[in-house]
Amino acid sequence: MVVSESFKIVESAYGKAGVKILHVSQNGSVHTIRELEVETSLTLNNHKDYERGDNSDIIATDTQKNTVYILAKQYGISSPEEFGLILANHFISKYPWVVKAKVTLSAHPWQRVTDTAGRPHNHAFVSTPLSVRVASVLLIRGQMPVVSAGIRNLRVLKTTQSAFVNFVSDEYRSLPDFKDRLFSTIVTADWTYGKINQELDFDSAFSTAHASVLEVFAGPADKGIFSPSVQNSQFLTQKMILEKIPQVEQISISMPNVHYFGFDLSKFSRIPGLEGKCSGDVYLPVDKPSGQITSTLARGMITSKL
């Protein structure tokens, strides 16, 4: 008896990555720009292209690329999330054999130039790479779209008001307690909208989330805010975002430790004054290894008390 083994494709998708676009809109003399990098990914209801080399249902990746530019011309780009929804809906409605469309977008950070009188310029912009805004739209045929947004490469640092003490002390520990330390991290955040309604302004929501990260990290300008751990700051950031943006269902944040260790000057004992404050403190940046702190905070069940 000969037993034949069968195989099945359990997942497939294809699309176009790295589609860069700059859209310029005009309202009177005021110009507005949106620069995005877009990636499209489609899943079909069959695998005949893989299994038999039948390309008759393939929407070429070049066609997907062209679609990005054509729909931007037709509908504009009001926000990365809105444009992602336009693209995903187009692929699902245009091609009946497409069962899933995913669109991933990242926005280049541009801000208006401010003139000497403090006025925002009508048509001149400056690149401000403080962080990168990202968005994602996943649309499965017959279901509601899942819209996510996020932050990349938001690097922050504060020189005090941070501690790390009373952690596990055993035979493997070498790290001392730090009652006051330098705290730096590179924030990656991703949040998912549980509902899309007319009250939701994607641009405003992103600005609120971005500002919340900085508010929890830094606190008031004159006094700052104390952080007992990266974990606690992360949780408080997530909680603030969920409280301020009711449409957000859950948020994930990654905050790796970016270490700055005090440089050991004890080897230079022949140079007087180094053991004191002198001009300040000197630190050595160390990028690896680094601690990785991640968590996801979601809304719990709402209970009512009578």
Side-chain angles (χ1 to χ4, degrees):
M1 180 178 177
V2 178
V3 178
S4 61
E5 189 174 5
S6 63
F7 305 94
K8 179 182 179 181
I9 296 176
V10 295
E11 187 175 350
S12 67
Y14 71 100
K16 199 73 164 181
V19 182
K20 295 187 176 183
I21 180 172
L22 174 68
H23 181 269
V24 182
S25 60
Q26 186 173 345
N27 183 9
S29 61
V30 179
H31 295 190
T32 300
I33 64 173
R34 295 275 191 178
E35 184 175 355
L36 302 178
E37 184 168 326
V38 182
E39 179 176 345
T40 60
S41 178
L42 305 180
T43 298
L44 310 184
N45 64 3
N46 64 80
H47 300 110
K48 61 185 181 182
D49 47 345
Y50 290 89
E51 297 170 336
R52 303 195 302 273
D54 183 343
N55 299 332
S56 58
D57 281 348
I58 291 181
I59 301 103
T61 64
D62 189 67
T63 301
Q64 296 179 43
K65 176 205 69 178
N66 295 339
T67 302
V68 172
Y69 297 111
I70 293 169
L71 294 187
K73 178 65 174 179
Q74 290 178 320
Y75 300 103
I77 302 176
S78 60
S79 71
E81 295 87 350
E82 289 285 358
F83 189 55
L85 283 165
I86 289 171
L87 285 167
N89 277 298
H90 167 84
F91 289 124
I92 291 293
S93 61
K94 174 73 173 176
Y95 307 104
W97 57 92
V98 173
V99 295
K100 182 168 66 175
K102 183 177 182 180
V103 182
T104 306
L105 314 95
S106 62
H108 185 85
W110 290 103
Q111 288 186 1
R112 295 186 184 276
V113 170
T114 302
D115 68 10
T116 55
R119 300 172 301 176
H121 205 283
N122 283 352
H123 57 263
F125 304 84
V126 59
S127 177
T128 53
L130 178 66
S131 64
V132 176
R133 176 180 177 180
V134 298
S136 175
V137 175
L138 175 64
L139 181 56
I140 298 175
R141 184 172 297 279
Q143 299 182 20
M144 296 297 293
V146 177
V147 181
S148 303
I151 299 169
R152 298 289 183 272
N153 301 328
L154 177 57
R155 185 165 185 169
V156 290
L157 181 154
K158 64 180 181 181
T159 53
T160 188
Q161 290 278 56
S162 174
F164 187 56
V165 300
N166 299 325
F167 51 95
V168 173
S169 181
D170 60 16
E171 65 270 29
Y172 297 98
R173 172 176 165 174
S174 62
L175 192 69
D177 280 348
F178 290 100
K179 295 183 178 180
D180 187 29
R181 65 172 182 170
L182 189 151
F183 175 17
S184 181
T185 186
I186 303 173
V187 179
T188 297
D190 292 282
W191 56 91
T192 302
Y193 294 103
K195 54 184 176 180
I196 310 297
N197 53 31
Q198 292 183 344
E199 288 75 30
L200 176 58
D201 181 317
F202 289 115
D203 286 344
S204 177
F206 177 82
S207 296
T208 298
H210 196 282
S212 296
V213 174
L214 299 180
E215 181 178 349
V216 173
F217 179 81
D222 55 342
K223 297 180 180 179
I225 187 171
F226 179 72
S227 169
S229 66
V230 178
Q231 286 87 337
N232 183 248
S233 295
Q234 189 172 104
F235 170 77
L236 294 176
T237 301
Q238 295 164 323
K239 184 171 178 286
M240 179 179 288
I241 291 172
L242 289 174
E243 289 172 343
K244 288 188 174 184
I245 313 173
Q247 295 89 350
V248 172
E249 189 66 24
Q250 70 176 35
I251 175 167
S252 300
I253 295 182
S254 170
M255 297 171 69
N257 284 317
V258 178
H259 293 298
Y260 291 85
F261 295 126
F263 185 75
D264 183 10
L265 295 166
S266 63
K267 303 173 185 178
F268 308 97
S269 58
R270 290 182 292 176
I271 302 176
L274 292 182
E275 69 278 1
K277 275 294 183 182
C278 285
S279 66
D281 297 316
V282 177
Y283 294 90
L284 175 65
V286 178
D287 60 344
K288 294 178 181 179
S290 65
Q292 298 287 332
I293 295 89
T294 63
S295 65
T296 299
L297 186 66
R299 296 187 185 277
M301 295 181 62
I302 298 175
T303 58
S304 59
K305 294 182 180 180
L306 299 178

